[in-house]
Amino acid sequence: MYINFWYPAIASKDLSADQPARVQILGQRFVLFRDANGQARCLSDTCVHRGGALGKGRIRDGNVACPYHGWQFDGSGQCVQIPSMGANAKVPARAKVDAYPVAEKYGIIFAFLGDLPEAERPPLMECPEYGTEGWRANLIIFDVACSYERSIENGMDPAHNEFVHPAQGSPTMAAEIRQKPLDTQDGPWGSTTVVRYGKERGPEALGDAAPLRTDPHASFSYHGPNQLITWIHFGDDSKFQQYFFEAPIDETHTRIFFINMRSFMLEPENDGRLVKVNLAIAQEDIDILEALDPVFTPSSPTEEVLVPSDGAVISYRKYLKQWKDNGWHIDMDTLRANHLNRAYAIPCPERRTSGNWVLKAVPLVSVTEEKKAATG
Ligand code: FES
Ligand SMILES: [Fe+2]
């Protein structure tokens, strides 16, 4: 799992003004709350007094108050009140927790989990049709008991559709592209691939309302380790554009925030039917993903047999390696060995400019040490 990317934390509608929420992402806990202006805030969940869970606390004057002894933290992570010391007491400088940049967009609250300064941060994946005329959006959130990397790889795998989703009109790869490498273009934060399909009609569950496939093709593009777009183009006036923002809850559980955009059947009364179709398709994938062995992607290409239709998966792994080389990969072995007697935090941007932090930053894989170990 990687620091220094944007992760979806909670649906906007699920964060009220008067109650904090506690979520787990990258194996760490976070508290989300709305400050006095209604702005969403995200802090490390662990109270630096004696380890209370801030996400189980309450909102007091736009701050989050720890449920244990009532210390209040503002949206910047600073402790602003220690009730046991009296109202006018000076709060110790170390009484602060990590605070993360937040973006509230597309009905989702996202947190940037890492310490990069703003100018260097990978951008959040964009969803340009959201809220525009001719498009209808549905946000669907569901959990899968699999590694998020396996889930993202599944979204860029054009050869599984005809086997896993036959009820969707058997979307088979066009014959002329089967023997060629996938047409994959690299971008700054991932690659984009276009795949042409046969002309079957579907999805079947939509019956006569199913769009005719006049020019069937699909493209997919991943953005960072955890975000993926699939453009499904049946014909000019019937498209699905599907945005997947995925949050690794931990190494083996993933929460998927899926925005399904459609350019047909736009009336809101069709939402239920379309959501049902999409959930049925997702369940077909989940049944495969939760049974994969090994649970993680193999660390060596010799432990699989990859073919041309796996081209985008190969590209994804190449980018992951780059992000690991940047020093952004969490060292889970060290973390697991220590987690019962030490609380960690994902480092926030302010750690680059100020010291005095109580919690240790999560350990990161040191690339030089790994290379040294490999070369003996
Ligand atoms: S543990 Fe949070 S106030 Fe004491
Ligand atoms: Fe699928």
Side-chain angles (χ1 to χ4, degrees):
M1 298 184 289
Y2 296 81
I3 67 163
N4 286 329
F5 289 97
W6 288 93
Y7 290 94
I10 193 170
S12 290
K13 68 172 178 43
D14 294 334
L15 189 64
S16 71
D18 44 44
Q19 189 74 35
R22 190 173 186 230
V23 303
Q24 183 173 310
I25 310 170
L26 304 177
Q28 300 296 313
R29 294 212 170 88
F30 302 89
V31 54
L32 288 132
F33 66 101
R34 293 195 185 275
D35 66 16
N37 300 319
Q39 205 186 317
R41 304 290 199 147
C42 177
L43 309 179
S44 161
D45 180 63
T46 307
C47 178
V48 290
H49 175 215
R50 279 175 41 219
L54 297 176
K56 294 188 160 201
R58 331 164 69 137
I59 303 298
R60 288 276 173 269
D61 305 324
N63 304 316
V64 63
C66 179
Y68 204 177
H69 312 94
W71 290 24
Q72 289 184 26
F73 296 84
D74 69 13
S76 74
Q78 190 60 52
C79 178
V80 291
Q81 213 194 108
I82 298 182
S84 67
M85 292 173 73
N88 300 318
K90 190 170 176 304
V91 171
R94 293 181 80 228
K96 61 179 178 180
V97 297
D98 290 75
Y100 306 93
V102 165
E104 188 161 5
K105 274 181 125 174
Y106 319 132
I108 300 172
I109 296 168
F110 297 91
F112 181 80
L113 300 181
D115 61 353
L116 286 182
E118 190 168 3
E120 295 171 31
R121 285 176 206 152
L124 177 66
M125 182 171 77
E126 279 184 35
C127 180
E129 309 79 22
Y130 191 91
T132 63
E133 211 176 312
W135 290 94
R136 175 87 188 156
N138 289 123
L139 172 62
I140 308 171
I141 302 174
F142 55 98
D143 289 358
V144 187
C146 77
S147 143
Y148 75 97
E149 289 180 10
R150 289 290 206 179
S151 166
I152 294 283
E153 288 191 355
N154 178 65
M156 56 178 87
D157 170 6
H160 83 285
N161 293 308
E162 61 192 281
F163 300 98
V164 179
H165 310 299
Q168 312 315 326
S170 295
T172 51
M173 289 168 66
E176 67 271 19
I177 67 163
R178 284 178 177 253
Q179 309 259 329
K180 297 186 191 155
L182 289 183
D183 174 17
T184 293
Q185 307 286 329
D186 286 353
W189 297 104
S191 68
T192 303
T193 306
V194 182
V195 180
R196 308 211 82 80
Y197 285 92
K199 292 205 174 176
E200 304 83 352
R201 188 178 176 125
E204 266 170 23
L206 294 177
D208 289 345
L212 273 178
R213 297 182 176 193
T214 50
D215 175 25
H217 61 272
S219 320
F220 42 84
S221 182
Y222 60 91
H223 184 96
N226 65 314
Q227 304 169 89
L228 178 100
I229 314 174
T230 308
W231 296 272
I232 302 174
H233 189 121
F234 304 108
D236 279 343
D237 48 8
S238 50
K239 299 172 194 167
F240 277 141
Q241 299 197 171
Q242 306 187 315
Y243 295 80
F244 299 88
F245 297 95
E246 309 207 357
I249 297 169
D250 58 25
E251 292 167 285
T252 57
H253 295 86
T254 302
R255 180 158 298 162
I256 300 180
F257 292 69
F258 165 29
I259 302 174
N260 186 53
M261 309 275 324
R262 62 181 194 265
S263 73
F264 59 101
M265 297 174 70
L266 291 176
E267 303 70 25
E269 53 270 28
N270 290 319
D271 288 355
R273 199 168 163 199
L274 268 302
V275 167
K276 208 170 146 207
V277 168
N278 279 291
L279 279 175
I281 297 171
Q283 190 57 52
E284 291 167 348
D285 287 314
I286 291 169
D287 289 345
I288 297 286
L289 289 170
E290 291 187 345
L292 290 180
D293 186 18
V295 171
F296 300 149
T297 55
S299 48
S300 156
T302 61
E303 292 170 26
E304 292 166 303
V305 180
L306 298 172
V307 294
S309 61
D310 298 312
V313 166
I314 294 166
S315 147
Y316 174 61
R317 294 183 188 176
K318 188 182 76 188
Y319 278 83
L320 290 179
K321 172 149 188 324
Q322 258 176 40
W323 300 323
K324 193 171 186 181
D325 288 349
N326 289 352
W328 295 350
H329 196 251
I330 301 175
D331 176 357
M332 291 306 297
D333 292 339
T334 305
L335 199 144
R336 262 193 298 267
N338 295 312
H339 82 281
L340 292 181
N341 53 22
R342 172 173 290 156
Y344 289 99
I346 301 288
C348 71
E350 213 196 311
R351 286 200 184 223
R352 297 270 184 121
T353 51
S354 79
N356 240 350
W357 297 89
V358 175
L359 299 194
K360 282 206 178 301
V362 289
L364 299 168
V365 172
S366 153
V367 177
T368 38
E369 272 172 31
E370 219 185 36
K371 277 190 186 143
K372 259 193 253 159
T375 52

